[in-house]
Amino acid sequence: MRVLAIINQKGGVGKTTSCMNLGAALAEAGLRVLLVDLDPQAHLSISFDRMPAPGDPSIYSVLTGQHPLADVIQPTHREGLSIAPTNLDLTGAESELAGEIGRESLLRDALRDLAKTADAPDIVLLDCPPSLGTLSLNALVCADGVIVPLQAEFFALQGMAQLLDVLERVKRRLNPRLELVGILVGMYSRQRNLSREVVEELQRHFGEILLPTFVRVNVRLAEAPSHAQTIFEYAPESGAAQEFRELARELWRRIAGRELKSAVTKTAPKSIAKPAASPETKEQAAGADLP
Ligand code: ADP
Ligand code: MG
């Protein structure tokens, strides 16, 4: 079981969108995927129409020791894709847990118990809240890897130094396995000089950590959750669906050291698999040539 935290303390950068659609792409390739909603805003749970009623089993009741994780997991409409949902109960968790000894390892313990069961997933994606408090710390303590979604906007790098510092300290003190697996550029627009300039700057800063496929601006990605669908049902032929398939392949390469087999490898066109080397190929990697 591999655990990836999708984290950025800024809101609106594409964490939930990435979690939902990367999860669906990995499940499409035959992996058993669990999505965990760690954001009290519950956008991920709402996007799958799985938000529990107040007081019902949820991530809040897991973190407060009322339920094992296995009891709150629900299937989604997609085969192989399940969710540990949350609701507004989680809003008070940061302050409620403040005095708790070992509060940063509650989720790690819950996942360890799940890993011993027959229902253990192959991969867990953690959708983090837009802050670096106890909930995000729980994600970093149990994760093998971190994915940082960034918007191709002028302020993309703002806050990154703080985030990288937190990652470094968690790695040193609490979780030596923690690795930055990839920076995921979202809401990219080839037409905008700004997007290109931001990407060049990110490339200079992060080199190969930058994932070579960018997610372009696509209104269908924003529309799909209101239909309780991932991009793979809502717009399966879209560039966005292809981009998330390719990102899933690259992530699996990075964390498992091998290729994703099955549907993903068969259907993704070869042209989007090239790593970015120059500004031209960067645009190709961004999906410019996709149908
Ligand atoms: P976060 O979880 O980091 O707050 P979201 O994933 O909720 O960010 O994304 C913020 C908003 O931007 C949402 O309304 C989402 O639908 C929209 N969005 C995300 N990625 C794209 C994209 N590539 N193109 C268009 N809209 C997007
Ligand atoms: Mg979110």
Side-chain angles (χ1 to χ4, degrees):
M1 192 170 88
R2 291 179 172 82
V3 183
L4 286 179
I6 301 182
I7 192 165
N8 188 326
Q9 73 274 36
K10 287 210 283 186
V13 295
K15 292 182 290 294
T16 302
T17 306
S18 303
C19 191
M20 181 171 198
N21 294 299
L22 283 175
L26 290 162
E28 185 187 61
L31 295 175
R32 285 169 306 165
V33 182
L34 171 65
L35 307 180
V36 177
D37 192 352
L38 284 173
D39 186 351
Q41 297 176 101
H43 288 169
L44 185 70
S45 309
I46 296 167
S47 298
F48 282 99
D49 198 17
R50 290 289 183 277
M51 186 167 74
D56 279 0
S58 69
I59 278 297
Y60 173 78
S61 60
V62 171
L63 295 178
T64 50
Q66 303 166 61
H67 293 109
L69 185 54
D71 284 8
V72 315
I73 295 174
Q74 299 186 33
T76 69
H77 57 281
R78 287 194 73 85
E79 198 187 332
L81 186 63
S82 56
I83 182 168
T86 196
N87 57 21
L88 300 183
D89 293 346
L90 195 62
T91 312
E94 297 269 352
S95 54
E96 280 173 49
L97 295 173
E100 188 86 24
I101 293 172
R103 63 185 172 279
E104 69 278 352
S105 50
L106 297 165
L107 185 62
R108 185 191 62 190
D109 297 346
L111 280 168
R112 278 183 181 163
D113 290 343
L114 181 71
K116 292 178 203 145
T117 69
D119 294 332
D122 299 308
I123 182 162
V124 181
L125 301 181
L126 309 171
D127 187 26
C128 293
S131 62
L132 292 173
T134 304
L135 293 168
S136 289
L137 199 53
N138 264 275
L140 296 177
V141 165
C142 64
D144 305 296
V146 170
I147 301 166
V148 179
L150 291 180
Q151 227 175 322
E153 284 294 338
F154 180 58
F155 289 113
L157 280 170
Q158 191 200 37
M160 269 306 272
Q162 188 196 8
L163 178 57
L164 294 176
D165 183 53
V166 169
L167 295 182
E168 198 47 53
R169 277 186 290 151
V170 170
K171 186 175 167 75
R172 208 166 52 233
R173 297 186 191 155
L174 297 169
N175 178 10
R177 287 171 310 148
L178 191 67
E179 296 296 341
L180 178 54
V181 172
I183 290 178
L184 195 166
V185 178
M187 298 186 228
Y188 179 84
S189 169
R190 198 167 64 93
Q191 284 77 33
R192 293 177 66 191
N193 289 334
L194 179 62
S195 267
R196 290 208 297 271
E197 284 164 18
V198 168
V199 160
E200 277 163 26
E201 168 127 14
L202 290 171
Q203 200 95 40
R204 271 198 302 279
H205 262 81
F206 297 107
E208 298 204 328
I209 293 176
L210 210 62
L211 288 158
T213 302
F214 310 147
V215 181
R216 288 171 296 170
V217 174
N218 188 329
V219 68
R220 303 204 153 214
L221 274 174
E223 290 167 355
S226 65
H227 300 266
Q229 290 181 342
T230 74
I231 196 69
F232 299 100
E233 301 90 67
Y234 189 67
E237 304 303 324
S238 63
Q242 294 295 354
E243 286 151 13
F244 276 109
R245 283 196 177 103
E246 178 51 30
L247 283 164
R249 292 174 62 187
E250 178 63 23
L251 280 177
W252 192 248
R253 259 180 227 131
R254 291 186 181 192
I255 60 173
R258 57 177 193 271
E259 295 296 316
L260 258 186
K261 297 205 171 60
S262 84
V264 168
T265 339
K266 279 177 212 143
T267 56
K270 284 198 178 95
S271 62
I272 59 170
K274 293 188 189 100
S278 66
E280 287 74 30
T281 52
K282 241 183 280 169
E283 284 178 23
Q284 282 175 6
D289 292 343
L290 291 176

